[in-house]
Amino acid sequence: MYRERASRLAGAVVWANVPDEGGAGRVLPDGCMDLLWNEGRLLVAGPDTSAYIPEAAVGAWAGLRFAPGAAPAFLGLPAYELLDRRVDLSELWPASDVRRLRDRVARAADPGRALEEIALDGAAPADPLLVRLVEALDAGWPVAAVADELGLGARQLHRRSRAAFGYGPKTLARVLRMQRALALARAGVPLAATAVRAGYADQPHLSREVRALAGVPVTGLLR
């Protein structure tokens, strides 16, 4: 069973998941990165360009999903180094620091809250430029218009996006658009109307994009 709540860390989400017999499920691209706890391990989930399907659903999971673009400042490395990867935190930080944090989470009654507190201890203030970038792309602005609004050249915008999100602004826009569409469809909006409201040319365009990013038809995700 999966559950989540808003975090005290701006834009973040604290979540927990105890997979059922069907497995952990398909993790869709969302422009975010996560700090994870599972079976005594601290891990980091990098940004995804396509759906991630866990090989095995072992034990309970807890996580802190950072707001888009926020995790690199906390981790101290650009997002593209973790693109489509899940790595142990000890590969990124000194082993002694990770052992201390691992013990802290292991002692906690609520691992998700412990992850949240760790993130709050080390989080940097949100970068206003990245916040505006995500808001504009999520509102459906064209990438060129976003670059002009932010006062950045195309190369600068691409470089900043790769460091913050793992990929360029066009890919981020596709990911955010898919998430908008799924939210509308899950709320009961018909797929044809969902396509228009989310910014697709038509329903076939929506179907192609969801299949490309999620690996399954949109109807499969809604089931």
Side-chain angles (χ1 to χ4, degrees), residues 35-43 60-63 102 105-106 111 115:
L35 181 62
L36 308 171
W37 173 257
N38 172 250
E39 299 291 294
R41 299 173 64 202
L42 281 170
L43 306 103
W61 289 78
R102 191 167 56 226
V105 180
L115 294 175

Side-chain angles (χ1 to χ4, degrees), residues 64-90:
L64 185 286
R65 182 176 306 118
F66 289 86
F74 170 75
L75 294 170
L77 78 168
Y80 59 75
E81 293 192 11
L82 296 174
L83 188 63
D84 292 319
R85 297 177 63 199
R86 269 71 178 160
V87 302
D88 196 290
L89 186 60
S90 61

Side-chain angles (χ1 to χ4, degrees), residues 5-217:
R5 65 169 174 82
S7 170
R8 290 172 289 158
L9 182 66
V13 172
V14 179
W15 58 267
N17 189 32
V18 181
D20 57 24
E21 294 180 357
R26 186 178 297 265
V27 181
L28 302 182
D30 57 8
C32 302
M33 297 170 62
D34 292 56
L35 181 62
L36 308 171
W37 173 257
N38 172 250
E39 299 291 294
R41 299 173 64 202
L42 281 170
L43 306 103
V44 175
D48 294 318
T49 55
S50 59
Y52 173 76
I53 304 174
E55 295 181 2
V58 179
W61 289 78
L64 185 286
R65 182 176 306 118
F66 289 86
F74 170 75
L75 294 170
L77 78 168
Y80 59 75
E81 293 192 11
L82 296 174
L83 188 63
D84 292 319
R85 297 177 63 199
R86 269 71 178 160
V87 302
D88 196 290
L89 186 60
S90 61
E91 295 184 32
L92 311 178
W93 286 2
S96 58
D97 292 345
V98 176
R99 281 196 299 272
R100 176 176 53 80
L101 295 176
R102 191 167 56 226
D103 292 343
R104 177 176 171 181
V105 180
R107 292 193 303 268
D110 182 346
R113 181 177 292 277
L115 294 175
E116 179 183 32
E117 291 171 350
I118 289 170
L120 285 166
D121 288 346
D127 183 333
L129 184 144
L130 296 179
V131 172
R132 290 165 58 200
L133 170 58
V134 172
E135 289 176 346
L137 291 178
D138 198 29
W141 286 34
V143 170
V146 175
D148 288 343
E149 172 68 16
L150 298 179
L152 298 176
R155 291 184 179 179
Q156 287 178 301
L157 180 61
H158 188 80
R159 185 164 56 248
R160 292 290 299 268
S161 294
R162 285 191 70 235
F165 311 107
Y167 30 64
K170 290 184 178 180
T171 298
L172 178 61
R174 291 177 63 208
V175 167
L176 295 175
R177 182 173 58 182
M178 179 187 71
Q179 290 290 344
R180 289 199 307 274
L182 291 176
L184 289 167
R186 286 167 177 155
V189 178
L191 289 180
T194 287
V196 174
R197 289 175 58 179
Y200 294 94
D202 49 28
Q203 187 174 334
H205 184 205
L206 163 67
S207 298
R208 290 193 301 272
E209 281 288 281
V210 170
R211 184 183 285 274
L213 290 169
V216 295

